[in-house]
Amino acid sequence: MAEPRMLTYREAVLDALFAEMRADPAVMIIGEDVGAAGGVFKQTEGLFAEFGALRVVDTPISEPGAFGMAVGAAMTGMRPVFEVMFGDFMTLCMDQLVNQAAKVRYMSNGRAGVPLVLRTTMGTGANLGPQHSQGFYAWAAHVPGLKVVAPATPQDAHDLMRAAIRDDDPVLFFEDRMLYTARGPVVAGEPQTLGRARVVRQGRDVTIVAIGRMVAFAQAAAEELAREGVEVEIVDPRTIAPLDRRTIIASVKRTHRALVVDGAPLAYGVTGEIASIIAEEAFDWLDAPVSRLGAANVPVPISRSLEPLSRPDASAIAQRVRAMLA
Amino acid sequence: MTAQSVKTPDAPAPAKLLEMHRAMVLIRRFEEAVRVLATAGAVPGLVHLCAGQEATNVGVIAALEPRDAIASHHRGHGHCLARGAPVDGLMAEILGKETGMCGGRSGSMHVIDLERNNLGTNGIVGGGIPLAAGAALSARARGSDAASVCFFGDGALNQGLLHECMNMAAIWKLAVVFVCENNGYGEFTAIDDVTAGPSLLARGEVFGIPSSMVDGMDVRAVHEAARGAVARARAGQGPSFIICNTWRFGGHHVGDKQDYKDDAEARAWRARDPILKSAAQLQDEGHASEADLRAVEHEADALVKRAVEAARAAPEPAPQRLLEHVHG
Ligand SMILES: Cc1ncc(C[n+]2csc(CCOP(=O)(O)OP(=O)(O)O)c2C)c(N)n1
């Protein structure tokens, strides 16, 4: 097995793109400023120089058309990785995503597919405000035919990008911008498959199921709680759809308590889905009602003082766990 | 434009002209059978028939090779048939039966037939345009000389997707042909009431795309324009835009009362029936006798009759099909 390298989250995804583009000439990148410029976050740096303009395609600012063309390319032999600069701009691709990409396999009775990755950035923390912060993964997960991934670590970002590219269905890959500079060991091992959760930390008192960047907040909360004698288990689903119910349920059956934490608005979101699955499949094992934390049901404000109030953090998570155990 | 530098192919051989005629007759007979079935309530969902527009379907598709891709729209049975879809399978699909081309789950408006590089009929007006343009982007990346065609109605002229894709196809010189089947109406609204600007062709010209208007009731004129555009595309000279002026003989969908059309208009367009025109030309030129043409009709009727009987007798999809093929 290869030696681990210390990479940032951004570098880990880029490394996965290099690996998959070298392995398969069908993989191509499509997006705005992804070519010679190397991406607005330097997330495609160097690809253009190695793979050229036919496989690293700089588009005009035309998300609906360019994404639709990526769908057409995916139906005809390519494996495009389409980049939407900010998650909020995904709304411009919605028809081609929901009515075309997601439905092609079903409509063709399994004879056609759309092996495509839509990668996008999201997340609060950088004061980017109402139209540059939102993560629409709950919307996407609601659409039959789409797969949805939200990696929390450089290793997962690397592995899941490779898995997403190799997957034969449309996969949405949500990258939290606040994680871009997070550094961690990355082993370029065997390709993984989507749909497997990771037990981030073991503990016997309560299970925290955390999405994306919330995993890091849950870890900080767990450290704090450990000093108080509370042992927290953390499960990161990594793939939101399809969801690894087994790992989540097995954990809750061990700890008898569950808190689900998400950085997107709580209302009608991923936490509701996971909480109801726990209630349906592990009710008899629960010692307390399933609890949920998510962002306030507001557009993300740009103010440096208001923005942090809009979403959960480590202290909110710790506080909620204390309440659940009281 | 550099259109002249690509050699225009020779005039089509008589066999090709007869083949196009046969394809148009099959579509007309097929659509008539679907109309009868839909009126009798045998067809789930909405059906949009293309009778009257056969020349635009056939004239363009006859200019393509099997490796070329097409994307169709909601009025798409003719495109599917012209592209070689099995008559039985398409009919069964429209009736939502197990034996349909897509297992009876897609129906008239969502037939996908990748085996024939047909990216599908489409329930979203304009939805197929980027798929065909994307197939051309794919061909470019794969080093293939395949071309692609997107068909759309005049209604889609006002969708932003068309303009975005025309822009990208032009800057990247993609091998795609934009074919507008202009039948004068989008649902019950006349195109002139909702479409600004002095000229529809300007919508291609503004991107520097060679744009032409042809008589969509004349299969030969359509074919000629399409062959030029495909040759140009294959030669790496980029996209073309063709507007085929045509008319649908029926309503927007089966059951539409068509109050928005008047009798004089209907008489004028019906006198230009593309199948009658093609038949007269073939006879005048001595390429087909009246008996030959009748044989073509009988052959189409037999194929359609068999397809209707088979589709009616075919089973509904089994319940376990419901959950299949959401993912690969
Ligand atoms: C995006 C979208 N808007 C509206 C509709 C409803 N609709 C179906 S067909 C149609 C008219 C389309 O007109 P045109 O493109 O000219 O094609 P035609 O029906 O005349 O062949 C409309 C409005 C739709 N299917 N998709």
Side-chain angles (χ1 to χ4, degrees):
Chain A
M1 194 185 246
E3 281 295 300
R5 288 169 300 157
M6 291 303 286
L7 299 181
T8 64
Y9 186 99
R10 177 187 63 80
E11 291 164 346
V13 177
L14 183 52
D15 197 66
L17 295 175
F18 269 107
E20 292 306 310
M21 289 188 79
R22 283 175 189 151
D24 183 355
V27 180
M28 68 189 296
I29 310 286
I30 306 175
E32 291 161 17
D33 290 317
V34 297
V40 288
F41 309 111
K42 300 213 173 302
Q43 72 282 29
T44 53
E45 202 168 42
L47 293 173
F48 184 81
E50 181 165 339
F51 302 105
L54 298 189
R55 287 178 66 197
V56 184
V57 179
D58 256 331
T59 72
I61 305 160
S62 267
E63 285 84 356
F67 179 70
M69 287 172 67
V71 177
M75 290 177 76
T76 52
M78 297 304 287
R79 290 183 171 270
V81 177
F82 185 87
E83 187 174 301
V84 175
M85 198 182 293
F86 288 86
D88 311 64
F89 311 164
M90 253 178 68
T91 51
L92 287 132
C93 307
M94 271 314 191
D95 175 62
Q96 291 289 318
L97 180 65
V98 173
N99 284 319
Q100 314 295 338
K103 295 175 183 172
V104 161
R105 187 173 296 284
Y106 196 82
M107 293 194 298
S108 69
N109 204 19
R111 304 247 282 290
V114 180
L116 164 151
V117 180
L118 185 161
R119 73 179 292 207
T120 192
T121 63
M122 62 162 186
T124 54
N127 307 107
L128 290 165
Q131 294 174 337
H132 288 73
S133 301
Q134 208 164 354
F136 285 131
Y137 44 85
W139 285 23
H142 190 64
V143 178
L146 298 181
K147 294 177 178 173
V148 181
V149 174
T153 67
Q155 180 72 62
D156 283 345
H158 179 86
D159 291 345
L160 293 172
M161 178 52 87
R162 292 182 64 195
I165 291 171
R166 286 170 187 241
D167 198 280
D168 286 333
D169 291 312
V171 179
L172 280 73
F173 192 91
F174 287 91
E175 303 164 49
D176 196 307
R177 260 182 316 275
M178 296 305 283
L179 294 174
Y180 256 36
T181 51
R183 199 172 283 278
V186 174
V187 180
E190 289 304 303
Q192 308 285 311
T193 52
L194 302 178
R196 295 220 203 103
R198 181 172 72 101
V199 178
V200 177
R201 173 194 177 107
Q202 292 185 320
R204 62 177 150 71
D205 295 324
V206 59
T207 296
I208 299 179
V209 182
I211 309 289
R213 181 171 168 232
M214 292 297 129
V215 172
F217 287 141
Q219 283 174 298
E223 298 292 331
E224 199 179 315
L225 290 161
R227 288 192 287 275
E228 300 163 23
V230 176
E231 290 185 26
V232 172
E233 179 146 311
I234 300 173
V235 178
D236 172 5
R238 303 195 285 193
T239 303
I240 291 168
L243 187 69
D244 178 357
R245 296 162 168 241
R246 286 243 304 276
T247 301
I248 295 170
I249 295 299
S251 172
V252 174
K253 285 182 177 176
R254 283 193 298 272
T255 63
H256 310 292
R257 285 182 176 80
L259 168 62
V260 191
V261 189
D262 186 12
L266 192 66
Y268 304 94
V270 171
T271 62
E273 179 70 15
I274 296 176
S276 68
I277 288 169
I278 295 170
E280 282 163 359
E281 298 184 19
F283 186 78
D284 290 341
W285 282 264
L286 288 173
D287 287 345
V290 182
S291 194
R292 301 188 294 144
L293 277 173
N297 204 24
V298 296
V300 178
I302 207 158
S303 141
R304 290 210 166 89
S305 56
L306 292 180
E307 194 208 58
L309 300 179
S310 71
R311 56 162 158 80
D313 58 12
S315 78
I317 294 171
Q319 207 178 332
R320 179 62 66 88
V321 169
R322 286 185 202 105
M324 290 169 71
L325 290 165
Chain B
M1 289 299 134
T2 47
Q4 302 90 318
S5 61
V6 175
K7 189 172 159 289
T8 309
D10 299 332
K16 183 83 175 183
L17 298 174
L18 205 56
E19 184 196 310
M20 293 199 292
H21 184 76
R22 186 176 288 118
M24 291 199 293
V25 171
L26 176 63
I27 294 168
R28 177 70 57 86
R29 301 296 162 124
F30 186 93
E31 293 295 66
E32 178 55 19
V34 175
R35 191 189 64 75
V36 170
L37 288 166
T39 307
V43 180
L46 295 168
V47 247
H48 308 86
L49 304 179
C50 67
Q53 303 185 192
E54 294 89 349
T56 66
N57 302 170
V58 169
V60 173
I61 290 172
L64 300 179
E65 300 291 334
R67 66 182 179 286
D68 300 327
I70 66 159
S72 170
H73 51 76
H74 59 284
R75 200 175 300 289
H77 305 162
H79 304 126
C80 295
L81 290 171
R83 197 62 186 150
V87 181
D88 292 5
L90 184 63
M91 186 64 80
E93 187 55 42
I94 291 167
L95 295 201
K97 296 300 186 75
E98 171 92 39
T99 53
M101 289 169 70
C102 301
R105 50 178 67 207
S106 298
S108 163
M109 259 196 293
H110 319 94
V111 179
I112 295 174
D113 186 15
L114 270 197
E115 279 145 63
R116 291 167 197 82
N117 282 320
N118 178 354
L119 305 178
T121 58
N122 214 303
I124 305 298
V125 171
I129 294 168
L131 302 182
L137 184 70
S138 165
R140 185 181 80 138
R142 288 181 284 114
S144 157
D145 75 341
S148 57
V149 171
C150 46
F151 289 99
F152 50 91
D154 44 276
L157 286 171
N158 294 319
Q159 286 285 36
L161 271 180
L162 174 66
H163 304 273
E164 293 190 17
C165 290
M166 281 184 160
N167 180 51
M168 284 182 274
I171 56 175
W172 297 328
K173 284 196 178 325
L174 297 182
V176 56
V177 184
F178 297 94
V179 177
C180 176
E181 298 176 291
N182 175 16
N183 61 18
Y185 298 94
E187 284 185 351
F188 323 127
T189 301
I191 181 183
D192 295 344
D193 296 344
V194 291
T195 312
S199 146
L200 300 181
L201 289 174
R203 292 176 180 224
E205 287 161 352
V206 73
F207 298 107
I209 297 177
S211 305
S212 57
M213 197 170 266
V214 298
D215 177 1
M217 307 306 265
D218 177 351
V219 72
R220 297 181 185 191
V222 173
H223 186 59
E224 190 59 26
R227 286 203 306 166
V230 170
R232 218 183 148 263
R234 247 193 251 302
Q237 297 186 350
S240 304
F241 177 35
I242 302 172
I243 298 179
C244 305
N245 291 320
T246 180
W247 200 72
R248 55 169 153 76
F249 284 0
H252 171 61
H253 49 66
V254 177
D256 169 11
K257 296 219 169 27
Q258 305 184 67
D259 300 333
Y260 50 92
K261 292 177 172 175
D262 67 42
D263 291 346
E265 176 190 357
R267 268 195 305 279
W269 280 100
R270 281 188 181 272
R272 297 171 58 192
D273 185 325
I275 293 177
L276 295 181
K277 179 175 185 119
S278 156
Q281 285 173 319
L282 288 168
Q283 264 187 290
D284 289 351
E285 292 158 349
H287 297 322
S289 67
E290 207 179 319
D292 293 337
L293 296 175
R294 207 163 307 129
V296 165
E297 288 170 8
H298 289 156
E299 190 190 317
D301 283 338
L303 276 172
V304 169
K305 183 162 181 275
R306 202 187 65 196
V308 170
E309 283 165 6
R312 294 212 80 149
E316 287 285 315
Q320 67 266 25
R321 300 266 179 269
L322 175 69
L323 301 180
E324 286 176 358
H325 303 309
V326 177
H327 296 299

